[in-house]
Amino acid sequence: MEASGGVAVLTGVRDLLPVLRERAQETEDRRALSAETVKSLAETGFFRLLQPARFGGFEAHPLTFLRGVRELASACGSTGWVASVIGVHNWQLALFPDQAQQDVWADDPGTRMSSSYAPTGTIRAVDGGYRVDGRWSFSSGCDHADWVLLGGIVPPGDDGTPADFRTFLLPAADYTIEDVWHTVGLRGTGSNDIVVSDAFVPVHRSLSFNDTARCVCPGQELNTAPLYRIPYASIFSWAITTPIIGMAMGAYEAHVSYLKERVRASYVGVRAAEDPHSQVRAATAAGDLDAAWLALESDMGELMELAAAGQRLPMRLRLRVRRDQVRGTELAIGAVDRLFENSGGRALQTGTPIQRFWRDAHAGRVHAINDPERALSMFGRGEFGLPISDAMV
């Protein structure tokens, strides 16, 4: 089902790209994706790529999903970002107990979820579940979702139960959205605040990050595809970096097109494309983007091969995935910076794709999963034989 379905989805995504490019400025001005854009994405089947087959999903290889993300982000950074984070949630819900999956998808398998994982709210364990209260920020695409995934820390219990970092699944009736998204980059993502007032979350609608780190989750009893046996940190982290690579690719395409016509005033009529320094900058940017993507393909391919064979995923591979992911972000940011610097003053004009991709890529860079020191330090600890306690690996 995945092979033919995935190809058809990617074909549908590519057919959308010209329209998304035309809407990019409108999307930024609106500060959210339009209903038409989300509907078009849903019609391609994109959001079903990582969804379990028993709910009509494709159970696609993560690379199929990430290739679609890269394409979308190369046309419109905000659209690629929202598509990625909304789309990867179907993969995470597949790890929850079956009842949670039924709650969301039984009546409508096309139901979407947004998220905010930073544990900024208050969680109390009660009989049968948890009481959830507080405010969570940066929930991209929340206006186009009917459920939300929120991160929270359950305090240690009186019986000695240790603290637990969990994800909590809430329906739209249990929260409100506050429009606070006024930013310089990724303006079209509608990443607003989620506010919850003492909502009850039954125990089956929560999932421990410790379980996702161990790759042993309740949903795997019914969702047995290899896709659901890879680490949360591996797929989620690349779901954040891939849109940034896509934005840098969009900047590259726009830059090359622009420089083919640009004439440098300081060189008396010399076409910018004939400038050897411009040629070197373009080559360096292209090489960095290729390196970032090749690392992604290698890492994700190896993870899936081992998962399909039922083999254990070695810690060194998991650490390498996080290392390559943060390096992928760094390479993409370096590429888009180099291209922006080489584009001249006209690239500063409002509405031009170069400056929008530059702002969007830097906005994506500040996501916590892109902090290089954390991921690189973990890799270094592993290389030196020191213990790794971080769940985001």
Side-chain angles (χ1 to χ4, degrees):
M1 183 178 183
E2 188 268 318
S4 59
V7 170
V9 169
L10 292 184
T11 299
V13 164
R14 292 185 186 111
D15 289 344
L16 273 181
L17 300 184
V19 175
L20 297 179
R21 289 190 186 96
E22 291 177 3
R23 290 179 183 166
Q25 187 60 50
E26 175 189 334
T27 298
E28 176 164 279
D29 294 342
R30 183 190 290 108
R31 297 185 298 113
L33 270 60
S34 67
E36 292 81 7
T37 291
V38 176
K39 181 174 182 289
S40 296
L41 280 171
E43 288 173 345
T44 69
F46 176 81
F47 294 120
R48 293 192 291 134
L49 283 173
L50 301 182
Q51 189 173 19
R54 64 198 186 96
F55 291 106
F58 294 113
E59 295 186 352
H61 195 293
L63 279 174
T64 303
F65 172 76
L66 295 171
R67 287 186 182 111
V69 169
R70 181 184 61 174
E71 298 273 3
L72 292 168
S74 74
C76 172
S78 290
T79 300
W81 183 272
V82 171
S84 191
V85 297
I86 293 291
V88 80
H89 294 152
N90 283 354
W91 176 86
Q92 187 183 11
L93 183 58
L95 306 181
F96 274 71
D98 179 57
Q99 186 56 58
Q101 299 173 55
Q102 298 291 342
D103 291 348
V104 176
W105 287 326
D107 294 333
D108 180 5
T111 299
R112 292 180 293 272
M113 298 152 282
S114 66
S115 68
S116 179
Y117 294 105
T120 55
T122 301
I123 313 296
R124 287 189 298 117
V126 296
D127 289 343
Y130 307 90
R131 305 299 303 194
V132 177
D133 188 83
R135 176 185 294 268
W136 285 259
S137 297
F138 313 126
S139 189
S140 300
C142 56
D143 288 331
H144 302 288
D146 294 312
W147 292 73
V148 71
L149 295 157
L150 301 175
I153 296 176
V154 181
D158 295 335
D159 59 355
T161 305
D164 190 12
F165 186 15
R166 304 184 72 87
T167 300
F168 300 90
L169 174 66
L170 287 77
D174 286 353
Y175 61 87
T176 58
I177 298 172
E178 288 197 10
D179 184 354
V180 297
W181 191 242
H182 299 276
T183 59
V184 298
L186 290 177
R187 288 174 55 83
T189 61
S191 303
N192 289 306
D193 282 6
I194 301 294
V195 181
V196 181
S197 181
D198 195 32
F200 174 72
V201 178
V203 68
H204 71 267
R205 290 188 197 156
S206 72
L207 183 69
S208 173
F209 271 94
N210 289 328
D211 290 344
T212 63
R214 294 186 298 115
C215 299
V216 179
C217 297
Q220 293 167 333
E221 295 178 11
L222 293 173
N223 301 320
T224 58
L227 169 68
Y228 304 114
R229 296 198 294 272
I230 61 177
Y232 170 89
S234 296
I235 189 167
F236 179 80
S237 62
W238 274 113
I240 295 300
T241 288
T242 299
I244 300 173
I245 295 174
M247 295 168 209
M249 290 180 62
Y252 181 84
E253 293 164 3
H255 177 76
V256 169
S257 177
Y258 171 56
L259 255 67
K260 285 179 179 179
E261 307 300 328
R262 183 187 175 204
V263 174
R264 287 191 182 275
S266 57
Y267 291 97
V268 193
V270 174
R271 291 175 59 237
E274 297 173 354
D275 176 11
H277 301 297
S278 293
Q279 295 162 1
V280 169
R281 288 175 178 174
T284 303
D288 286 348
L289 293 175
D290 284 348
W293 189 255
L294 287 170
L296 163 58
E297 288 186 321
S298 175
D299 290 345
M300 214 45 84
E302 189 170 347
L303 282 171
M304 285 294 286
E305 284 180 14
L306 291 172
Q311 297 182 20
R312 177 179 171 273
L313 304 179
M315 179 57 69
R316 191 170 193 276
L317 171 59
R318 295 170 62 164
L319 291 168
R320 191 184 82 206
V321 170
R322 286 302 316 281
R323 180 202 70 188
D324 291 347
Q325 173 258 317
V326 295
R327 289 288 296 132
T329 296
E330 287 184 332
L331 288 168
I333 291 296
V336 78
D337 281 350
R338 189 171 290 109
L339 296 168
F340 184 70
E341 292 165 2
N342 197 50
S343 293
R346 294 190 184 278
L348 296 171
Q349 292 180 337
T350 302
T352 59
I354 286 283
Q355 55 81 31
R356 185 169 53 246
F357 282 125
W358 183 81
R359 288 185 289 107
D360 287 348
H362 277 273
R365 161 62 186 86
V366 300
H367 191 288
I369 204 73
N370 285 322
D371 288 346
E373 292 82 6
R374 178 181 181 183
L376 297 179
S377 175
M378 284 195 296
F379 182 84
R381 287 182 65 86
E383 291 293 277
F384 296 140
L386 299 175
I388 307 295
S389 59
D390 199 313
M392 288 303 292
V393 68

